[in-house]
Every structure is written in structure tokens, then in C-alpha cells.
């Protein structure tokens, strides 16, 4: 446990320069984009050049880039993501309003993907080269090739419109109705999770097959232990390292895919917030959404690294 704590402190110390680099990248991209905060502020009006100049001067937009970046990072350290040019409200408030739904969708999709991948991957590995394995491998190939938005449109057509089993869009808060929340989140989470589940299934199958071919498995089964006990206690523990590593990378896909899925299902999450900000030319909101998403991705990958260390003692020794 001491080794895990030491590695955790070391990885956490690396977060600061990484997040500063992400902030610098987002800051530069937004500053060199065609979106003008002054024009966004006066959207719908007809400002004079002097009014635009006064706005830029008042908000420090005419200062040198290094000074603006330092001011930007200082605001981030105090939880200030800026102010929306359209609504005149803090970006942080808008992010905190939209973020819970995106987190619900992301982690619900993640949970579905993990359950499906473990069940299908282990089944395929245990029944290697038999009918169940062949069917699962074909379905996983189809799942990898299918875009999430295409699956979402198919589900809306066949499960929502044709059969009426689920709503085609909208959102119900779980505080109002847990059943209603599950019905509104079921199709979006399933559409988001299936491509990830397909990829993880192939990795789980490969990892479990490699473990099943090792001598300790044959020895344990030969000594009289039931195969399901060997697989559950030993094989899965050793085989989960590679899937966990890939899972950390797939969380980024889930967060990014949530933007598209939320748009398809009209969910008021971070995706809708970003799309509206891009369409309306609100750079502060776009910047805040990107920074929040990138920070979440980095933190989740840190958690995945820690889980890998806990699962595999050999990684702790190597680290």
C-alpha cells in the first residue's frame, strides 16, 4: 500500500504541468480562432468601432498574450472560467448546470460497456473457437465499425418511434422520477456504450485466452479446482490489466461521444451547451466546456492507473 501511495503522489504531482499545458493549448486555440468576444457580446446589435475597441480594452483583450494567459490561469485557480458573452452569466454556473447530466450519461454508458465486455469477452475466451466465440467476435467487429450516432438514430427509429418503448428525446431528472430518468437515459447510454463494449470485448477475450494458456491455470484445474473458480479468482485478476488501460483511453471517447449523443437525443448536457456556444459564437463557454472535459479525462486516467496498480502487483514492483 505504501508503494501505491508513493506512485499516487508522483502521478498527482504530474497533473499540475499537464493541466497547465492543456489550459495553454485551449487558450491559444481560442485566441487564434475567428470568434471575436467583442462581436459575440454585441451580437444582434450594430456596435461602432469605438464600442468594440472600448469593450476589448475594458476586458483586457488588447493586452499581450502572455499577460492574458497569466490572468486566465489565475482565474482558473480561483474557479473562474470567464463570463458568457451572450447570457452575461459566469461560465462556471452553466458548466455546473450541464455537467451532472453528461457525467450520468458517461458513467452509465461506461458501466454498460464494462458489463457487456466482461460477459461477452470471458464467454468467448472460455468457449474459444466454438459457435459462441464466433458469434461474439462477429458482433464485436460490427460494434467497432458502427458509429455511436448511427446506432442512436437506429434506436430512435426502431425502439422509440416504431415501438414506443422509450422516448425519442428529452430528459427527466432522477429526483423527479427514477423510472423516467432510466427511460430517457437508456437509449443514449446504450448507443454511447456499444462501440466501447465491442472494443473492450475483443481485448478482454485476448487477455483471458492468454491467461488460460498459462501453466498455473492448467495446474489449478488439474488439481481439482472448478474452472469457473480458477477463472473468477485468478485469470480475471491477471487479465484485467490490459482492458483497464484501454478503458482509461475509452473514457475520452465516451466524453467526446456524449457531445454528439446529447445533441441527437436533445439532452441538456455539456454537448448541447458546447454546440449552442459554437453556433452563437460564445468563446468563453466553448473554452470552459473543453477545459472541463479535458480535466475530467486526465483525472479518470489517473484513477484507471491506480486501479491497474491495485490489480497487478507486478506493475507496482516495476513502478
Amino acid at each position: 500500500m505504501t508503494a501505491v501511495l508513493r506512485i499516487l503522489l508522483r502521478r498527482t504531482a504530474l497533473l499540475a504541468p499537464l493541466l497547465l499545458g492543456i489550459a495553454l493549448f485551449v487558450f491559444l486555440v481560442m485566441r487564434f480562432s475567428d470568434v471575436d468576444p467583442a462581436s459575440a457580446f454585441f451580437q444582434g446589435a450594430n456596435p461602432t468601432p469605438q464600442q468594440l475597441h472600448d469593450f476589448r480594452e475594458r476586458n483586457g483583450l488588447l493586452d499581450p498574450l502572455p499577460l492574458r494567459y497569466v490572468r486566465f490561469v489565475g482565474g482558473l485557480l480561483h474557479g473562474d472560467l470567464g463570463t458568457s458573452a451572450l447570457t452575461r452569466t459566469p461560465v462556471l454556473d452553466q458548466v455546473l448546470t450541464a455537467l451532472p447530466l453528461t457525467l450520468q450519461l458517461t458513467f452509465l454508458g461506461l458501466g454498460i460497456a464494462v458489463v457487456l465486455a466482461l460477459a461477452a469477452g470471458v464467454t468467448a475466451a472460455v468457449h474459444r473457437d466454438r459457435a459462441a466465440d464466433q458469434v461474439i467476435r462477429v458482433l464485436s467487429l460490427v460494434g467497432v465499425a458502427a458509429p455511436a450516432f448511427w446506432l442512436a438514430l437506429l434506436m430512435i427509429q426502431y425502439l422509440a418511434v416504431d415501438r414506443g418503448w422509450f422516448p425519442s428525446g428529452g430528459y427527466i431528472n432522477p429526483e423527479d422520477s427514477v423510472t423516467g430518468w432510466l427511460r430517457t437515459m437508456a437509449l443514449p447510454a446504450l448507443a454511447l456504450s456499444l462501440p466501447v463494449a465491442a472494443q473492450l470485448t475483443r481485448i478482454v477475450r485476448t487477455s483471458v485466452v492468454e491467461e488460460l494458456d498459462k501453466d498455473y491455470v492448467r495446474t489449478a484445474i488439474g488439481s481439482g479446482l472448478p474452472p469457473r473458480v480458477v477463472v473468477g479468482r485468478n485469470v480475471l485478476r491477471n487479465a484485467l490489466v490490459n482492458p483497464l488501460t484501454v478503458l482509461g483511453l475509452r473514457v475520452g471517447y465516451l466524453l467526446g461521444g456524449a457531445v454528439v449523443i446529447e445533441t441527437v437525443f436533445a439532452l441538456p448536457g455539456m454537448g448541447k451547451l458546447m454546440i449552442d456556444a459554437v453556433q452563437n459564437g460564445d468563446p468563453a463557454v466553448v473554452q470552459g466546456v473543453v477545459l472541463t472535459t479535458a480535466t475530467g479525462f486526465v483525472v479518470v486516467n489517473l484513477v484507471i492507473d491506480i486501479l491497474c496498480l491495485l490489480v497487478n502487483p507486478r506493475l507496482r514492483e516495476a513502478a
Side-chain angles (χ1 to χ4, degrees):
M1 188 57 67
T2 304
V4 175
L5 182 60
R6 185 171 62 252
I7 296 168
L8 174 60
L9 292 175
R10 187 190 314 159
R11 300 277 174 90
T12 304
L14 294 175
L15 283 181
L18 181 58
L19 293 176
L20 283 175
I22 292 172
L24 176 61
F25 176 76
V26 174
F27 174 82
L28 292 177
V29 168
M30 295 307 301
R31 293 309 170 274
F32 288 107
S33 68
D34 294 332
V35 179
D36 181 15
S39 300
F41 181 83
F42 290 103
Q43 192 174 50
N46 189 20
T48 63
Q50 184 61 41
Q51 287 177 313
L52 292 174
H53 177 81
D54 291 343
F55 176 86
R56 295 186 182 108
E57 187 175 28
R58 188 168 57 251
N59 290 275
L61 300 177
L62 301 178
D63 295 337
L65 275 179
L67 177 59
R68 292 164 63 186
Y69 175 67
V70 171
R71 189 186 301 123
F72 170 66
V73 173
L76 292 180
L77 294 177
H78 291 86
D80 182 11
L81 293 177
T83 303
S84 169
L86 297 177
T87 63
R88 316 294 197 269
T89 59
V91 174
L92 182 61
D93 293 346
Q94 297 186 45
V95 168
L96 292 179
T97 300
L99 183 60
L101 188 148
T102 299
L103 291 179
Q104 292 169 23
L105 177 59
T106 299
F107 287 103
L108 189 58
L110 183 64
I112 294 173
V114 169
V115 171
L116 291 178
L118 285 176
V122 173
T123 301
V126 172
H127 299 87
R128 184 182 356 177
D129 297 330
R130 294 185 226 170
D133 182 27
Q134 299 296 339
V135 170
I136 291 173
R137 290 166 71 179
V138 170
L139 291 178
S140 65
L141 280 175
V142 174
V144 169
F149 73 89
W150 180 75
L151 292 173
L153 293 175
L154 286 181
M155 290 178 183
I156 290 175
Q157 179 62 45
Y158 292 106
L159 299 179
V161 176
D162 292 349
R163 289 168 177 78
W165 294 345
F166 299 95
S168 60
Y171 175 71
I172 296 177
N173 196 300
E175 296 178 357
D176 298 329
S177 171
V178 175
T179 304
W181 175 77
L182 286 173
R183 293 187 75 246
T184 55
M185 295 295 286
L187 292 187
L190 193 59
L192 186 63
S193 66
L194 286 180
V196 177
Q199 294 174 356
L200 288 176
T201 295
R202 297 173 62 82
I203 297 168
V204 169
R205 178 194 178 278
T206 302
S207 298
V208 173
V209 165
E210 290 176 355
E211 288 297 319
L212 288 175
D213 288 338
K214 291 184 177 178
D215 292 337
Y216 79 89
V217 176
R218 288 191 290 267
T219 302
I221 293 176
S223 64
L225 286 175
R228 64 176 179 274
V229 174
V230 177
V231 172
R233 287 184 181 176
N234 305 103
V235 172
L236 269 183
R237 182 184 178 89
N238 295 327
L240 282 180
V241 176
N242 288 336
L244 275 176
T245 304
V246 175
L247 184 62
L249 300 175
R250 291 296 90 195
V251 169
Y253 166 85
L254 289 170
L255 287 171
V259 173
V260 178
I261 295 299
E262 286 173 3
T263 303
V264 173
F265 286 94
L267 298 174
M270 296 280 279
K272 186 176 184 301
L273 181 63
M274 175 177 251
I275 295 298
D276 290 344
V278 170
Q279 291 176 343
N280 298 323
D282 198 342
V285 175
V286 175
Q287 187 173 262
V289 172
V290 172
L291 277 172
T292 304
T293 304
T295 302
F297 176 71
V298 171
V299 172
V300 168
N301 273 274
L302 174 64
V303 174
I304 294 296
D305 287 344
I306 296 170
L307 289 177
C308 289
L309 292 171
L310 293 175
V311 168
N312 195 334
R314 289 174 295 181
L315 290 180
R316 293 200 296 271
E317 296 172 2

